[in-house]
Amino acid sequence: MDSMETRREAIVAFVNEKGNISFNQLKTEFSNVSEMTLRTDLKILDEEKKIVRVHGGAKSVNVVMGTDDLFGKRAVRNISAKQKIAEKAITLLKPHTSVYLDSGSTTTMMARNFPDQPQIIYTTGLSCAMELAKLTQPKVTIPGGALNRYSMSVCGIEGIKELEAVNFDIVFMGITCYSKETGFTCGASEEAKLKQAALKNADLKVILLDSSKIDTRGIFSICNLEDVDIIVSDDELTAEFLRDAVSAGVTVL
């Protein structure tokens, strides 16, 4: 196998590992390769349907198709970053409050470490609910909806209507991508609407954001940076994003 084929296989593996990447991440990972060569690689790999080229980067084919055996693969991606985010997010919890905990691998890690204290908790993540079931004091509710077996979550019009009627003290929201142009996004229309419903009446809106999701574009918008209160990060966010957060009045932890 020649060096070009080896490099392109490595690019596909990198994209599949991360799920989605920005071109800047690709340049950093393959720092000994010219920009022009990397852009050509992405073009060819996209034509071969090995990755999906998007504005500013690339996505795994599995992520775009929604068949990313998703929860299993995401659970083992960027584990140290997710642990850091989960540990920080836990410090925001207070007893006797209403909480929305979004579905996802980071929120599942967070649920695993929830304190056993009186709280009303809504979650669309079945893996989150399983972790929370170990506790004795919180009241845990799973909104109605259809099962997504790839993400181990539920979503549907019943759940959207239910969340619209709840006033949450704090919402912990996971996202798929973030770019300045599109804001925070995810890959399914109904999921975006459910996330918006949870955010609608929340006193404190918290986004859980690892740096690999910066400068990547998703299809369905959830909200903009100025619509949230706190970003909980892995301490690897770009300088540009941090400046934008300051300008928007958003706290970054």
Side-chain angles (χ1 to χ4, degrees):
M1 184 180 295
D2 64 26
S3 59
M4 180 185 71
E5 291 176 331
T6 301
R7 183 182 68 250
R8 288 179 180 172
E9 284 197 359
I11 290 172
V12 173
F14 181 59
V15 174
N16 286 338
E17 178 191 356
K18 298 295 185 183
N20 56 72
I21 62 164
S22 67
F23 191 69
N24 285 336
Q25 287 176 291
L26 189 67
K27 287 194 299 182
T28 300
E29 183 71 11
F30 297 88
S31 57
N32 60 332
V33 182
S34 71
E35 278 195 33
M36 183 177 296
T37 298
L38 288 175
R39 292 187 189 280
T40 299
D41 287 342
L42 291 184
K43 180 176 182 294
I44 297 300
L45 291 170
D46 179 76
E47 291 172 353
E48 293 176 348
K49 303 188 184 307
K50 293 181 178 178
I51 57 101
V52 177
R53 193 165 53 140
V54 297
H55 178 77
K59 288 187 177 185
S60 163
V61 172
N62 289 329
V63 168
V64 173
M65 291 178 65
T67 57
D68 185 22
D69 48 13
L70 271 174
F71 188 79
K73 285 187 178 178
R74 281 186 291 153
V76 296
R77 286 183 187 142
N78 305 327
I79 291 177
S80 61
K82 291 173 183 178
Q83 286 176 333
K84 187 175 292 186
I85 291 168
E87 288 169 3
K88 290 182 182 180
I90 285 291
T91 66
L92 298 172
L93 288 169
K94 296 179 181 178
H96 303 289
T97 54
S98 55
V99 177
Y100 173 77
L101 186 64
D102 201 18
S103 62
S105 52
T106 305
T107 49
T108 300
M109 194 173 292
M110 185 180 171
R112 193 170 298 145
N113 294 284
F114 256 55
D116 195 358
Q117 60 190 20
Q119 277 177 323
I120 295 173
I121 305 172
Y122 280 72
T123 183
T124 52
L126 299 186
S127 54
C128 294
M130 290 175 66
E131 295 293 343
L132 295 170
K134 300 171 185 176
L135 306 178
T136 61
Q137 296 191 64
K139 177 184 177 182
V140 180
T141 299
I142 302 173
L147 170 66
N148 182 332
R149 64 187 179 89
Y150 299 112
S151 61
M152 292 299 292
S153 65
V154 292
C155 187
I157 188 62
E158 304 95 334
I160 292 170
K161 289 181 178 179
E162 189 172 353
L163 293 179
E164 285 177 338
V166 182
N167 299 309
F168 290 109
D169 291 306
I170 187 167
V171 164
F172 295 97
M173 189 64 65
I175 58 96
T176 304
C177 303
Y178 173 81
S179 75
K180 291 182 74 169
E181 296 77 19
T182 60
F184 298 104
T185 56
C186 64
S189 175
E190 199 169 62
E191 183 183 355
K193 290 175 182 176
L194 186 142
K195 291 175 186 286
Q196 289 167 350
L199 289 165
K200 181 180 177 183
N201 298 321
D203 283 345
L204 196 62
K205 303 173 178 67
V206 181
I207 298 288
L208 309 181
L209 178 64
D210 76 68
S211 54
S212 69
K213 297 177 180 179
I214 297 290
D215 295 331
T216 60
R217 292 165 62 96
I219 302 173
F220 298 100
S221 293
I222 302 165
C223 63
N224 295 315
L225 182 58
E226 57 267 25
D227 298 323
V228 304
D229 301 301
I230 297 175
I231 301 291
V232 182
S233 77
D234 57 1
D235 299 331
E236 299 293 335
L237 299 179
T238 64
E240 181 183 10
F241 181 88
L242 292 172
R243 287 194 298 269
D244 289 344
V246 170
S247 296
V250 177
T251 300
V252 177
L253 300 180

